[in-house]
Amino acid sequence: MKLLPVLSALLLFLCQPDGMASTIIRTAAQEASEPKFITINQQGKPAIGGICVDIMRALEKVDPDLKFVGDQTWQPRIRIDAGMKAGNIDAFCGAQRIERNTSQYHFLDTVLFTVSYLLAVRADDDIDIQNWDDIRQLGNKGVILALHGFGIVDILEKIGGLKIDSGATSSLSNLNKLLAGRGRFYCHRSPGIKLSIQQAGLESKIRLLARPQLSEKFYMGLSKTLPADQTRKINNALVSLENSGELRRIFEKYQE
């Protein structure tokens, strides 16, 4: 009879729902966003790593009650935005504070990392560009390629007067369009663009311009319906990572 209370307690523990002790934060790995999310090999199996995955694992270490799920599933940016609106995604790592994003995300103040946007051209193109006005004056001969749905498209459009082609969904597609003469420039962030050129084996065919450049900060974007206590947990953990220098150390691992 003395075993009954013990067995009852054990049965009650075993019947607890999975993850009851954790704050589950739903997210996704953004396609074509290297090195925010990259394909890696983990114990002989394909997995997803990168800056954002490292940040989320670090957040879980700072606050063991946090658990990010979904970072091992690739999704295009447009689907992530749709998931946020539908209430299926709670957090998007690496969002820019542009109007399109601020209208749908709640941004935490901590800067995750800062990148530079560079322009790539064909290696045999001897064009010398100093500023955005120089590109603007090229008209249809100065088409800038960018990735569909990415924040850089909004930023370039805000500059004004630039010819932009944002139809491609991967860096490889835009690099091939660049080589085919379907654009004069490809604008993408660094770290990221050099790796894409290297992976495509195009180091001898494509070069990067020193200017003009754009500097952009990236943040953690949360669903505006995420409960305040969960938002506070993520915010506090991020502040801790910033104060300890861990955010900087993570980003430096991926410098090109």
Side-chain angles (χ1 to χ4, degrees):
M1 294 293 294
K2 292 181 179 180
L3 288 176
L4 286 178
V6 177
L7 291 174
S8 297
L10 178 61
L11 181 61
L12 181 63
F13 172 77
L14 292 175
C15 289
Q16 294 295 325
D18 291 340
M20 187 173 182
S22 297
T23 298
I24 304 299
I25 306 297
R26 300 165 298 173
T27 187
Q30 183 186 359
E31 291 180 352
S33 65
E34 302 86 351
K36 284 193 345 182
F37 295 96
I38 59 175
T39 300
I40 62 173
N41 189 289
Q42 196 170 68
Q43 298 178 343
K45 297 180 180 180
I48 300 175
I51 295 173
C52 281
V53 173
D54 288 358
I55 288 175
M56 287 185 277
R57 295 294 86 81
L59 289 170
E60 292 170 347
K61 288 183 179 179
V62 170
D63 185 346
D65 190 51
L66 288 173
K67 178 62 178 176
F68 288 84
V69 299
D71 55 77
Q72 295 301 298
T73 301
W74 291 109
Q75 289 191 26
R77 174 60 191 273
I78 292 179
R79 186 176 171 191
I80 292 174
D81 287 346
M84 185 76 76
K85 291 178 181 178
N88 301 321
I89 289 182
D90 303 312
F92 175 47
C93 174
Q96 295 156 282
R97 271 185 166 157
I98 56 177
E99 184 176 349
R100 173 163 55 93
N101 290 342
T102 55
S103 66
Q104 61 181 327
Y105 303 147
H106 168 65
F107 279 81
L108 299 182
D109 290 334
T110 301
V111 177
L112 301 181
F113 51 88
T114 303
V115 306
S116 295
Y117 279 92
L118 306 178
L119 291 174
V121 297
R122 294 180 296 278
D124 60 1
D125 188 342
D126 61 358
I127 191 167
D128 182 20
I129 294 296
Q130 300 299 316
N131 51 53
W132 299 105
D133 274 338
D134 289 344
I135 298 177
R136 192 178 290 112
Q137 291 172 14
L138 292 172
N140 290 331
K141 293 183 179 180
V143 173
I144 301 175
L145 303 171
L147 289 177
H148 183 68
F150 278 49
I152 185 58
V153 178
D154 303 61
I155 294 167
L156 292 173
E157 288 177 345
K158 191 172 182 179
I159 291 174
L162 301 172
K163 303 293 184 179
I164 305 164
D165 177 349
S166 60
T169 58
S170 72
S171 279
L172 181 58
S173 293
N174 269 338
L175 292 173
N176 286 330
K177 288 173 72 172
L178 187 65
L179 290 178
R182 295 170 60 193
R184 189 74 177 269
F185 310 94
Y186 172 37
C187 188
H188 195 54
R189 59 176 172 254
S190 176
I193 191 167
K194 293 180 182 178
L195 177 62
S196 296
I197 293 171
Q198 180 183 12
Q199 289 178 335
L202 298 175
E203 297 98 319
S204 64
K205 296 183 178 181
I206 292 176
R207 66 185 180 94
L208 295 171
L209 300 181
R211 52 188 174 270
Q213 294 187 20
L214 292 168
S215 179
E216 282 291 317
K217 293 178 173 61
F218 284 74
Y219 301 83
M220 183 70 75
L222 303 179
S223 168
K224 291 185 175 182
T225 62
L226 194 67
D229 62 322
Q230 296 184 19
T231 297
R232 186 168 53 251
K233 279 179 176 290
I234 299 172
N235 181 68
N236 291 343
L238 270 180
V239 170
S240 179
L241 290 181
E242 181 183 38
N243 292 340
S244 69
E246 184 61 18
L247 284 179
R248 174 181 51 79
R249 286 189 287 270
I250 290 173
F251 183 64
E252 287 178 348
K253 286 170 51 181
Y254 296 90
Q255 289 299 298
E256 295 179 320

